[in-house]
Amino acid sequence: MNPLTKVKLINELNEREADLGIKEVVSWHSEYKDSAWIFVGGFPYELTEGDLICVFSQYGEIVNINLVRDKKTGKSKGFCFVCYEDQRSTILAVDNFNGIKIKGRTIRVDHVKDYRPPKDHEDIDDVTKHLREEGCAPKDSAAASHSEEPEQSAIPVKKAKKDKKEKKKKKKEKERKKKGRASSSAESSPRHPPAAIKEEKQDAAYDKYNHQGPMATGPQNGQKATERGGGRDREEDDKRRISEKGDERRRRDGDDRERETERNNRDKRKDTDKGDDRKRDDRGRDSNRKDNRKKETDQDKDRRRDSDRGDGRRKEDRRDTDGDNRWRETDRDESRREKERDDGRRRDGDNRRRETDRR
């Protein structure tokens, strides 16, 4: 929507409320009762924060201001956000400043419901950062006198780009040193550390059996030894079976993979053969089409030749017939003329005879 139409709509709303005498509780300004920010747009690019504070501080104390500027050039974009100390000042500013002209340009003033502060970038100036954090509201005289010196020292001067470059170089050097240390420690340490072998703990019960006589302890120890030997054999058999099963599974997996690869290769070959057949069919069709076109063109040429020959013969026949007709007409004309001459001579002879007979 055009900003001038927005200006007109806001002014029409204010005029209707004034004519109807609507209370503040029901007014459209009550929707923005939780926000003390206003939007100002359309003012000249030459105005600064101080100029805007001078203009808009007529209806209340300004706490903070955010003049939107271009990141590269730093020039004003022609709109800003202003925060009042009292929310009621926003209503007065919107009602009175909306639609006025500043240096020949009409400005638009409207409420802001959810104001989001801008994100601080690396290229931002320290003064603007300090202004965004602490605002531009005046402070008490007693507190200001005590805090003048620390405030001046708190605002640091903008650092040059060389310092940033030096910091980056130092970080890179530290990372290189860390990498060199890690690589040297890896080289010095053995690649394959010795495996730690655990020693089996001896049971105290074996000593009891050893102190007893050989007759009493012989069969029991023999049974235990056989049991232990059988257990070991079982474990070895189980391990062998597990390893054999694993080998069989691996072989099956390998066979399945080979079959899958063969199937894929067959499918690829079939696809290639089908593609070759299609290409051949397309080539045959194209050649047949070309041959048919050539035949059609030859037939058209023959037809044109035959038609041209027929037209020539017809023209010759017409010429012959025209010549014959002309000769016939000339013969007729000559015979008519001779008849007329003969008739004239006969008439003259008859007339002369009649005259002689009268005399």
Side-chain angles (χ1 to χ4, degrees):
M1 188 182 288
N2 195 4
L4 293 175
T5 56
K6 290 182 180 179
V7 170
K8 291 178 182 179
L9 290 172
I10 291 167
N11 289 328
E12 287 176 359
L13 276 172
N14 292 328
E15 288 176 358
R16 286 179 185 175
E17 288 186 354
D19 294 334
L20 296 172
I22 295 171
K23 296 180 181 180
E24 293 182 358
V25 181
V26 192
S27 177
W28 70 280
H29 296 290
S30 63
E31 294 180 1
Y32 306 96
K33 63 183 179 180
D34 297 329
S35 177
W37 287 88
I38 60 169
F39 170 80
V40 183
F43 55 83
Y45 300 104
E46 301 168 359
L47 299 181
T48 59
E49 287 89 345
D51 299 329
L52 294 167
I53 289 167
C54 291
V55 174
F56 286 90
S57 61
Q58 297 178 21
Y59 293 101
E61 193 68 39
I62 294 173
V63 178
N64 200 347
I65 186 169
N66 179 18
L67 180 62
V68 182
R69 296 178 181 274
D70 191 2
K71 294 179 182 179
K72 294 181 180 179
T73 60
K75 293 181 181 180
S76 173
K77 289 188 177 181
F79 64 94
C80 70
F81 298 92
V82 179
C83 182
Y84 282 101
E85 187 178 3
D86 191 358
Q87 193 273 337
R88 292 175 292 180
S89 301
T90 59
I91 298 169
L92 296 172
V94 172
D95 290 338
N96 294 305
F97 285 125
N98 186 40
I100 67 168
K101 288 186 178 181
I102 298 174
K103 296 183 74 174
R105 295 191 68 178
T106 57
I107 65 170
R108 181 170 73 89
V109 183
D110 197 358
H111 291 283
V112 178
K113 193 171 185 179
D114 296 325
Y115 175 73
R116 295 179 182 177
K119 295 180 181 179
D120 295 333
H121 298 280
E122 294 180 356
D123 299 332
I124 194 170
D125 192 2
D126 295 326
V127 178
T128 56
K129 188 185 287 186
H130 179 72
L131 193 145
R132 287 178 183 176
E133 290 176 356
E134 297 186 2
C136 60
K139 298 180 181 179
D140 297 333
S141 61
S145 63
H146 293 290
S147 62
E148 278 180 358
E149 295 179 357
E151 279 181 358
Q152 290 177 0
S153 62
I155 299 170
V157 182
K158 189 176 181 181
K159 294 181 180 180
K161 293 182 179 179
K162 293 182 180 179
D163 298 335
K164 294 180 181 179
K165 290 181 180 178
E166 289 177 358
K167 287 182 179 180
K168 289 180 180 179
K169 287 181 181 178
K170 288 179 181 179
K171 287 181 180 179
K172 288 180 180 179
E173 288 177 358
K174 287 180 180 179
E175 289 177 355
R176 288 176 184 173
K177 288 180 180 178
K178 287 180 181 178
K179 289 179 180 178
R181 290 174 184 173
S183 63
S184 63
S185 63
E187 289 175 357
S188 61
S189 63
R191 294 182 181 178
H192 299 287
I197 300 169
K198 292 183 180 180
E199 295 181 355
E200 293 182 356
K201 294 180 180 180
Q202 293 180 357
D203 294 331
Y206 290 119
D207 296 331
K208 294 179 182 179
Y209 293 107
N210 291 325
H211 288 296
Q212 293 177 357
M215 294 298 288
T217 60
Q220 292 177 358
N221 291 326
Q223 288 176 1
K224 289 181 180 178
T226 53
E227 287 176 358
R228 287 174 187 171
R232 289 176 184 175
D233 294 333
R234 288 174 186 174
E235 288 177 357
E236 289 178 356
D237 292 333
D238 293 332
K239 288 179 181 179
R240 287 174 185 174
R241 288 173 185 174
I242 291 165
S243 62
E244 287 176 358
K245 287 180 181 179
D247 294 333
E248 287 178 358
R249 287 178 184 175
R250 289 172 186 173
R251 288 173 186 173
R252 289 174 184 175
D253 294 333
D255 295 333
D256 294 333
R257 288 174 185 173
E258 289 178 357
R259 289 173 186 173
E260 287 179 357
T261 52
E262 287 177 358
R263 288 175 186 174
N264 293 324
N265 293 324
R266 288 174 186 174
D267 294 333
K268 287 179 181 179
R269 287 172 186 174
K270 288 179 181 178
D271 294 332
T272 53
D273 294 333
K274 287 179 181 178
D276 295 332
D277 294 333
R278 288 175 183 174
K279 288 179 181 179
R280 289 172 186 173
D281 294 334
D282 294 332
R283 288 174 184 173
R285 289 173 185 173
D286 294 331
S287 61
N288 291 326
R289 288 175 184 173
K290 289 179 181 179
D291 295 332
N292 293 325
R293 288 176 184 173
K294 286 180 181 179
K295 288 178 181 179
E296 288 177 356
T297 51
D298 294 332
Q299 288 177 359
D300 292 331
K301 287 179 181 179
D302 294 332
R303 288 173 186 173
R304 288 175 184 174
R305 288 174 185 173
D306 294 334
S307 61
D308 294 333
R309 289 174 183 174
D311 293 333
R313 289 175 182 175
R314 288 173 185 173
K315 287 178 182 179
E316 289 177 358
D317 294 334
R318 285 178 184 175
R319 286 174 186 174
D320 295 334
T321 53
D322 292 333
D324 294 334
N325 292 325
R326 286 174 185 174
W327 285 108
R328 289 173 184 173
E329 286 178 357
T330 52
D331 293 334
R332 288 174 184 174
D333 293 333
E334 287 177 357
S335 61
R336 285 175 185 174
R337 287 173 185 174
E338 287 178 356
K339 285 179 181 180
E340 287 176 356
R341 288 174 186 173
D342 294 333
D343 292 334
R345 287 175 184 174
R346 287 174 184 174
R347 288 173 185 172
D348 293 333
D350 293 332
N351 291 326
R352 287 176 184 171
R353 286 174 186 174
R354 288 174 184 173
E355 287 178 358
T356 54
D357 291 333
R358 286 177 183 177
R359 289 177 183 173

